[in-house]
Amino acid sequence: MRFHGLALEGWLFDLYPSQFGGMVIWLLTRSGDPIRLFDPWRPSLYVWARNLSSASTLFKANSSFVEKTIDYKYVNPGDFERSRVLRVTFQSSVDIASFLRNLTPADLMGPQFFNAGVPAAQLYLYEKDLFPLAFVRAELRKPSIRWELLDSAFSCQYENPPLRTASITLHIKKGGAIATFSDPLQSITFKFSDEVSIDAGSEAEKLLRLIELVKQADPDIILTRNGDAFAFPYLMRRAFQNGVLPQLILDREGRHLQSSGRPGRTYVSYGRVFYRPAPVRLLGRLHLDAYNDFMFENCGLQGLFEIARTCRTPLHRASRETIGTTMTSLQMYQAFRRDILIPWKKNEPENFKSAWELLQADRGGFILEPKVGLFDDVGEIDFASLYPALMMKYNLTPECIACACCGSTCMCVPELKYNLCEKKIGIVPHTLFILLYKRAKYKALMSHTTERALRDIYDQRQAALKWSLVCSFGYLGYRNARFGKIDAHIGVCAFARKVLRETVQIAQEHGFSVVHGIVDSVWLKKKGADEADYIDLCKTLEKRLELPASFEGIYRWIVFLPSKVHAELPVLNRYYGCLLYTSDAADE
C-alpha cells in the first residue's frame, strides 16, 4: 500500500451505490490488499422542455431530489448548439428510479428525460473519467474523493492487479434425477491455494465452515458453476432451513448472501429461447458463474477484463450482461464526454419510406451464388471487421445519415438517396475507434510475440473486442438501442454490397475467377497463383478501397454443396475444405 499524504494507489476493482446514497469503491493495492472507500457522490438526471418552468413543477412534490440547476447540453446527438436544460440531482439512484416510476402519462407529454436509465456505477465512471481495473491514485479529501487516472483505456500492455481466485462446488444428496432445494447438502469443495472438502458435521456446520474458509482466504474472485440459477440460491435455502442465513456472508460488505431482488428473464434470440437467471452479487468481490457468463466462457478472464476496461462497465455487470449492453456503455460514455445527453428511451424513429424505397433499401449483405462442386487451390480473402470499418470510414451513425445540414453534399449512400454529414463525426465512429485500434494492436502484438502465455492473453483480449465489433453493426438497427437507427443499419449494408462488387471486379482485372463471395469474404481461383499473388491482390484492394483486407490462405481443396431440396441450386453458406493457413491467418 502506497500513501501520498492522504492518498493511496491501486486498481479500481469494484464499485456500487450505497443504500443511503453515495458510491462505495474497492481498490486493490499492489500487495493485493482490498481497500474500501466511500464517495458521497449524487446522481443526476436532465430534463428538457420548451418551458423549463413548467417542467420544474414535477419535482416540487418530490422530496428525494437534492438540488436543481440550469445547465447547457446537446439534447440530440446531431445538434450543433447546446440547449438550456434542467439538471436535477438526487440523493441516490433508487430515488431516481422511484421518481420515474411515479410519473404519469400526462407528465411525459411535454418534457424529455435524459441520463435517467444509466446504472449509477457506470454514470460515476463516466463523470470521473475512470474505468474498471484502472490504476488510479485516490486523494482522500473531505467530503469527496479526488481521482487521478494513472492508466489509459487505450493501453494494450497494461498491468492487472494480483487477484486471488477461489471456487465453490456443491455436492448434494439428490432424491431424484435432478437436485432440488429440498435435497440435503452432502459436502462442499472449496478450492483456493489448496482444495478443501467440507464433509464433516451437520449441514449448519458445513455452511459455517465454508463461511470461515472464505473469510480466511479473502478471495477477490469466487468461481461457481450455475451459481446464479442454483448453487447460491440452494445455499440460501439450506442456510435458512438450518437457521444460519444471517451468518452466510460471502462478500466483503458484511451482507449475508441474497438474491438481487429481481426475477430472471426469458428472451428470444434468432429463433431460440434463452433464460438468464438473476445474478447473485458479491459486494467487493467478483462472482463468476461459468454457466452464465458469455464473455468469460468464450474469451477467458482476460477477455472479460478487456471489455470491462474498454467499455467502462463494472466487472460484475460486464460478466452478466450481453455484448450489446456493454458496447452501449461505451457509446454512452462517448456521448457523456461530449456533453450529449443520453436519452432515457430511444427517440430516433426510422425515416418514412414508400414500398418501393423499402424494397431498394432493406436488402442486407451481398452474396454470390457459389459454383457447386469440388475445387482445388482456391484462395480466400477477407475484409477484417468490414462493417465497423465502413461505419468508421463513412461516418455511418444515426445522427449523421440523411442529416438536414448537408443536403447538397456529394457523399451519399450507394443505391440510396441518403446523404452523409460532413460537418461532424458521430457517436458510433467515436465508439468504434478504440475497439478497432486496440484489436489491430493486439493482433500485431500476437504476431511479434513468441511467448505462448502472452500470446494467449492478447488473443483473449482481441477476441473479446471482436465480439463487440460484431455487435456494433446489429445494434444500429436494434429497436431499443439508445443510439441506433435502422437507416444507418441500411446504409452500412449498401456500402458493404458496393465493396464486394468492386472486390470482384478488381480480382477479375488481376486474372482471378470468383468461386464464391459472401458479405465480407471472397473465394478466388487463378491457375498457378501462390501466396504472393494473393497478398499483392490484398494490397491492391486496400489501396483502392481503403479498407483492411487479409489473405486467409489457400484451400488444398474445398467443396460447395448443392441444396437437398433442389439439387441444381447451390447452398449459399455451407462449404467445407482443407485450408493451408498462412502465418498471418494463424493469428486471426
Side-chain angles (χ1 to χ4, degrees):
M1 188 186 311
R2 295 177 59 191
F3 287 89
H4 300 265
L6 294 175
L8 60 91
E9 292 181 357
W11 286 272
L12 198 161
F13 180 65
D14 193 17
L15 72 163
Y16 46 87
S18 170
Q19 182 180 359
F20 305 103
M23 190 64 61
V24 177
I25 304 102
W26 286 88
L27 294 187
L28 294 180
T29 65
R30 288 197 177 276
S31 59
D33 297 323
I35 305 294
R36 185 186 188 275
L37 304 177
F38 178 77
D39 190 350
W41 167 83
R42 301 288 182 256
S44 302
L45 62 77
Y46 291 84
V47 184
W48 177 88
R50 296 188 183 279
N51 187 345
L52 282 183
S53 299
S54 61
S56 182
T57 60
L58 293 173
F59 302 93
K60 289 184 177 180
N62 191 297
S63 60
S64 60
F65 72 91
V66 178
E67 63 176 351
K68 294 183 294 183
T69 56
I70 297 297
D71 207 339
Y72 292 86
K73 300 285 185 179
Y74 297 106
V75 174
N76 298 303
D79 290 350
F80 286 91
E81 294 184 358
R82 289 177 171 85
S83 299
R84 190 169 179 263
V85 295
L86 182 67
R87 177 177 178 173
V88 185
T89 303
F90 286 75
Q91 183 73 17
S92 70
S93 56
V94 174
D95 294 331
I96 291 182
S98 176
F99 167 76
L100 296 173
R101 199 164 44 241
N102 292 325
L103 290 174
T104 66
D107 296 331
L108 299 172
M109 289 298 292
Q112 296 180 29
F113 298 88
F114 298 87
N115 295 27
V118 184
Q122 287 179 203
L123 195 59
Y124 183 85
L125 292 174
Y126 303 162
E127 286 193 15
K128 306 298 182 180
D129 203 10
L130 301 172
F131 52 88
L133 296 179
F135 194 73
V136 297
R137 177 181 293 119
E139 294 187 16
L140 311 181
R141 296 180 176 180
K142 291 186 177 181
S144 61
I145 300 174
R146 181 182 178 274
W147 296 98
E148 181 181 355
L149 185 62
L150 306 177
D151 201 345
S152 171
F154 279 87
S155 175
C156 292
Q157 294 176 293
Y158 51 84
E159 183 182 2
N160 281 321
L163 296 170
R164 299 187 294 265
T165 302
S167 65
I168 297 175
T169 306
L170 304 183
H171 307 280
I172 302 168
K173 293 180 181 178
K174 293 189 291 185
I178 300 176
T180 68
F181 289 169
S182 301
D183 294 331
L185 178 64
Q186 181 175 340
S187 64
I188 306 172
T189 299
F190 180 78
K191 187 175 182 180
F192 186 57
S193 54
D194 298 315
E195 187 172 290
V196 178
S197 180
I198 309 171
D199 53 10
S202 64
E203 268 195 319
E205 290 171 330
K206 293 171 186 174
L207 293 169
L208 293 173
R209 176 59 177 158
L210 172 64
I211 297 165
E212 180 184 354
L213 289 174
V214 171
K215 185 177 181 179
Q216 290 174 357
D218 194 19
D220 304 303
I221 300 174
I222 291 183
L223 179 65
T224 67
R225 292 187 179 275
N226 210 21
D228 288 335
F230 183 79
F232 277 165
Y234 173 83
L235 284 179
M236 289 182 243
R237 176 66 67 87
R238 301 317 300 170
F240 176 77
Q241 293 286 347
N242 288 274
V244 294
L245 182 59
Q247 292 101 291
L248 188 62
I249 299 172
L250 300 181
D251 66 10
R252 282 176 169 151
E253 194 65 64
R255 185 188 69 165
H256 72 76
L257 193 63
Q258 53 190 269
S259 64
S260 62
R262 67 175 190 265
R265 64 188 183 94
T266 302
Y267 61 98
V268 179
S269 178
Y270 294 98
R272 297 177 60 188
V273 179
F274 295 90
Y275 173 73
R276 184 178 295 276
V280 178
R281 180 86 159 88
L282 299 180
L283 302 179
R285 306 190 203 277
L286 174 60
H287 169 215
L288 287 180
D289 183 349
Y291 286 173
N292 192 30
D293 185 347
F294 174 85
M295 189 55 64
F296 174 63
E297 180 182 357
N298 289 272
C299 303
L301 202 57
Q302 291 295 330
L304 173 62
F305 291 169
E306 178 65 32
I307 284 296
R309 285 174 58 98
T310 305
C311 296
R312 304 190 183 245
T313 307
L315 279 169
H316 74 93
R317 184 171 172 83
S319 69
R320 295 300 191 276
E321 296 295 343
T322 64
I323 297 297
T325 301
T326 55
M327 191 270 300
T328 298
S329 173
L330 182 56
Q331 290 184 345
M332 292 192 293
Y333 167 75
Q334 295 293 343
F336 188 92
R337 302 310 300 178
R338 288 165 175 77
D339 273 349
I340 300 172
L341 295 179
I342 302 168
W344 177 27
K345 298 178 181 178
K346 180 180 179 179
N347 56 7
E348 186 71 23
E350 176 181 356
N351 292 349
F352 175 80
K353 300 177 184 65
S354 66
W356 173 246
E357 289 171 336
L358 188 61
L359 183 64
Q360 285 184 306
D362 193 10
R363 295 169 56 193
F366 190 60
I367 302 176
L368 298 173
E369 283 192 357
K371 299 176 181 179
V372 176
L374 171 67
F375 300 86
D376 58 1
D377 298 328
V378 173
E380 180 182 353
I381 289 180
D382 176 73
F383 288 96
S385 302
L386 175 62
Y387 281 20
L390 290 172
M391 292 153 67
M392 270 279 296
K393 180 181 178 181
Y394 295 107
N395 199 23
L396 290 163
T397 182
E399 67 271 26
C400 293
I401 192 164
C403 69
C405 59
C406 300
S408 60
T409 179
C410 60
M411 184 181 294
C412 293
V413 175
E415 308 168 21
L416 307 174
K417 298 179 181 179
Y418 303 154
N419 63 285
L420 297 171
C421 185
E422 295 178 330
K423 296 181 180 179
K424 66 185 301 182
I425 299 176
I427 290 175
V428 172
H430 278 300
T431 300
L432 293 174
F433 177 77
I434 187 172
L435 299 174
L436 290 167
Y437 167 81
K438 294 190 74 175
R439 184 165 185 248
K441 186 73 173 178
Y442 282 129
K443 293 177 74 172
L445 289 170
M446 287 172 61
S447 64
H448 294 91
T449 302
T450 57
E451 185 181 344
R452 181 59 184 270
L454 197 55
R455 279 176 58 89
D456 289 343
I457 290 174
Y458 294 150
D459 190 34
Q460 289 182 14
R461 293 177 181 176
Q462 72 85 20
L465 295 173
K466 180 179 180 179
W467 279 111
S468 288
L469 288 168
V470 169
C471 178
S472 64
F473 164 68
Y475 251 61
L476 276 181
Y478 179 46
R479 66 181 184 277
N480 291 328
R482 302 203 190 204
F483 299 102
K485 187 178 180 181
I486 194 64
D487 301 281
H489 185 276
I490 288 171
V492 177
C493 292
F495 273 107
R497 293 194 297 271
K498 178 175 179 288
V499 166
L500 199 62
R501 286 196 301 268
E502 292 180 352
T503 299
V504 170
Q505 181 181 349
I506 294 170
Q508 290 173 341
E509 290 173 1
H510 285 72
F512 290 90
S513 61
V514 180
V515 181
H516 188 28
I518 180 168
V519 183
D520 61 354
S521 301
V522 288
W523 288 263
L524 308 171
K525 183 175 175 61
K526 179 181 179 182
K527 186 176 181 179
D530 57 13
E531 183 176 332
D533 295 314
Y534 285 99
I535 291 176
D536 287 342
L537 178 59
C538 286
K539 292 179 180 178
T540 302
L541 291 171
E542 289 183 342
K543 182 178 180 180
R544 291 176 58 173
L545 301 179
E546 299 180 348
L547 292 168
S550 61
F551 171 52
E552 298 298 302
I554 297 176
Y555 285 85
R556 179 179 294 172
W557 55 267
I558 187 170
V559 177
F560 294 100
L561 302 170
S563 169
K564 291 182 179 180
V565 180
H566 302 285
E568 68 279 6
L569 297 178
V571 180
L572 302 180
N573 59 351
R574 292 290 186 272
Y575 62 91
Y576 63 91
C578 177
L579 177 63
L580 303 177
Y581 288 98
T582 65
S583 56
D584 292 334
D587 295 331
E588 290 293 327

